């Protein structure tokens, strides 16, 4: 296989020691849910203010290697007219872009979904590259429900579509993040979460390898392995660390550039604590760090509360949250 050193350089920059990725890639609809937390209407100006606070905070580059944006935010600018992607690039933070277009029902498979977004992806990548993006994200959703859910069929079709996205991304000079999210909501046990997550990631990497995707230029974004949020017993950080690392050792080839975590609706504190426990288990074949959205954004949103006079405070809170996650990625909390 032809070596694509540019991709490897981007992946290495994203996985720099002590840094992680901010997933600020909410669709306009989901951004509205974040704004609703601070009683702000979902209007373009409020979304812009929210992103401007996140991206312009002094010092975030010490802890953040990359930021994932959404179509409307990569086209957006600061109040002074500087494109957000340029703000990040000037700080040495790699701009990224979410390119999947969300999920649709998978006909014939009750409760299961398939991710959309392959149409015109080559053209979209060309444009995003010109706008500054050097990595991308595609998310598939896996829900643990009845005994048969997720089905092999839903895992396979999602893995194939994700693989096609990864091929197109790499051909465009963009590092693909592949994100199979096993949903935390539910009443499943830790054991069940481990079985499903292992199987999901195995199917994904088998497919990526069948289609010759260059794993050295690809990053896995995974859920942590933990019992469902409605299960009787919540998982301790040590149990999360053991189950999550066992899962990766059973499913992730060592060539994969690295692994980053989503927070998946855990509280910010719990996400950070679990990351720290995982890092404390010692060196692994892959760099492992964070790519949180809610676990980074919620504390700064609360500090901001949508008020101009709170913007500096919100930036301070953001910096502190990023620092805590940086320390956690090194097991130093
Ligand atoms: P959370 O960290 O809020 O789970 O979001 C991460 C993400 O990128 C979801 O796709």
């Amino acid at each position: 296989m032809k070596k694509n050193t540019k991709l490897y350089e981007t992946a290495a920059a994203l996985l720099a020691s002590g840094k992680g990725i901010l997933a600020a890639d909410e669709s306009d609809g989901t951004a509205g849910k974040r704004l609703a937390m601070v009683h702000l209407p979902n209007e373009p100006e409020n979304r812009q203010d929210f992103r401007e606070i996140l991206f312009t905070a002094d010092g975030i580059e010490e802890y953040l290697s990359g930021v994932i944006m959404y179509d409307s935010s990569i086209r957006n600018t600061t109040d002074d007219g500087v494109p957000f992607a340029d703000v990040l690039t000037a700080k040495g933070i790699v701009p990224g872009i979410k390119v999947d277009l969300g999920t649709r029902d998978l006909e014939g498979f009750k409760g299961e979904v398939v991710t959309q977004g392959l149409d015109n992806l080559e053209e979209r990548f060309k444009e995003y590259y010109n706008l500054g993006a050097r990595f991308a994200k595609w998310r598939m959703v896996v829900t643990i429900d009845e005994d048969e859910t997720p089905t092999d069929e839903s895992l396979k079709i999602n893995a194939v579509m994700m693989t096609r996205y990864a091929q197109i991304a790499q051909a465009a000079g963009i590092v693909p993040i592949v994100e199979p999210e096993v949903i935390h909501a539910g009443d499943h046990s830790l054991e069940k979460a481990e079985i499903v997550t292992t199987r999901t990631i195995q199917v994904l990497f088998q497919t990526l390898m069948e289609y010759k995707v260059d794993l050295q230029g690809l990053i896995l974004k995974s859920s942590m392995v933990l019992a469902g949020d409605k299960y009787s017993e919540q998982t301790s950080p040590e149990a999360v660390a053991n189950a999550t690392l066992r899962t990766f050792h059973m499913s992730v080839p060592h060539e994969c550039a690295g692994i980053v975590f989503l927070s998946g609706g855990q509280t910010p504190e719990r996400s950070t604590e679990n990351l720290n426990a995982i890092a404390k288990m010692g060196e692994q074949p892959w760099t492992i760090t964070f790519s949180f959205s809610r676990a980074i954004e919620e504390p700064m949103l609360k500090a901001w509360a949508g008020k101009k006079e709170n913007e500096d405070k919100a930036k301070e809170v953001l910096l502190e949250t990023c620092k805590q996650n940086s320390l956690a990625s090194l097991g130093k909390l």
Side-chain angles (χ1 to χ4, degrees), residues 26-303:
E26 298 90 353
S27 64
D28 292 346
T30 306
K33 291 190 198 161
R34 305 282 184 272
L35 294 172
M37 283 179 57
V38 290
H39 313 292
L40 282 180
N42 189 10
E43 287 165 2
E45 303 74 46
N46 291 334
R47 292 198 294 271
Q48 189 214 10
D49 284 348
F50 170 36
R51 265 59 182 261
E52 183 155 349
I53 295 171
L54 286 174
F55 303 160
T56 61
D58 279 340
I60 51 167
E61 61 277 15
E62 227 184 296
Y63 311 116
L64 296 180
S65 56
V67 170
I68 317 175
M69 287 184 278
Y70 182 67
D71 183 78
S72 55
S73 46
I74 202 169
R75 299 175 193 284
N76 208 339
T77 68
T78 61
D79 277 340
D80 301 337
V82 185
F84 282 149
D86 294 355
V87 170
L88 295 170
T89 304
K91 285 177 182 286
I93 296 176
V94 186
I97 181 76
K98 169 192 169 82
V99 295
D100 71 73
L101 300 177
T103 60
R104 303 286 183 282
D105 287 345
L106 182 61
E107 288 79 5
F109 295 84
K110 194 165 166 284
E112 296 192 284
V113 293
V114 61
T115 301
Q116 309 289 300
L118 290 175
D119 288 352
N120 305 322
L121 193 51
E122 287 90 344
E123 288 72 28
R124 290 168 63 212
F125 269 135
K126 260 187 217 139
E127 195 188 359
Y128 288 140
Y129 190 98
N130 289 334
L131 289 168
R134 293 295 177 271
F135 74 105
K137 181 188 109 167
W138 177 285
R139 171 174 175 262
M140 65 181 259
V141 176
V142 178
T143 307
I144 304 176
D145 196 354
E146 313 285 311
D147 277 352
E148 294 85 51
T149 308
T151 60
D152 285 348
E153 289 81 1
S154 79
L155 293 182
K156 191 66 190 174
I157 196 167
N158 274 293
V160 166
M161 293 176 80
M162 193 174 254
T163 294
R164 183 65 191 132
Y165 139 79
Q167 287 181 320
I168 299 170
Q170 291 188 333
I174 289 192
V175 170
I177 291 186
V178 291
E179 182 187 18
E181 176 170 0
V182 176
I183 299 294
H184 177 41
D187 57 8
H188 50 272
S189 65
L190 172 66
E191 291 71 28
K192 180 79 184 186
E194 182 173 341
I195 291 167
V196 169
T197 311
T198 303
R199 176 94 189 109
T200 299
I201 301 177
Q202 280 173 345
V203 171
L204 175 59
F205 275 100
Q206 270 162 18
T207 312
L208 288 164
M209 288 188 293
E210 274 168 32
Y211 288 90
K212 306 182 195 305
V213 172
D214 185 349
L215 301 187
Q216 287 177 264
L218 169 140
I219 294 172
L220 170 68
K221 177 159 173 167
S222 177
S223 354
M224 296 177 185
V225 178
L226 63 170
D229 63 350
K230 290 179 206 68
Y231 189 65
S232 50
E233 210 180 299
Q234 287 304 295
T235 323
S236 70
E238 291 66 35
V240 174
N242 280 315
T244 303
L245 290 175
R246 258 197 319 270
T247 295
F248 293 160
H249 281 280
M250 293 297 287
S251 60
V252 185
H254 293 184
E255 296 78 40
C256 175
I259 305 173
V260 296
F261 286 113
L262 57 99
S263 54
Q266 303 181 79
T267 62
E269 296 75 20
R270 200 165 169 225
S271 308
T272 308
E273 205 184 337
N274 285 340
L275 176 64
N276 190 54
I278 291 165
K280 267 191 175 339
M281 303 291 283
E283 197 159 321
Q284 305 298 331
W286 329 266
T287 300
I288 301 182
T289 187
F290 61 92
S291 173
F292 298 152
S293 175
R294 285 164 288 181
I296 292 181
E297 292 173 352
E298 282 178 13
M300 63 72 72
L301 275 164
K302 282 186 192 148

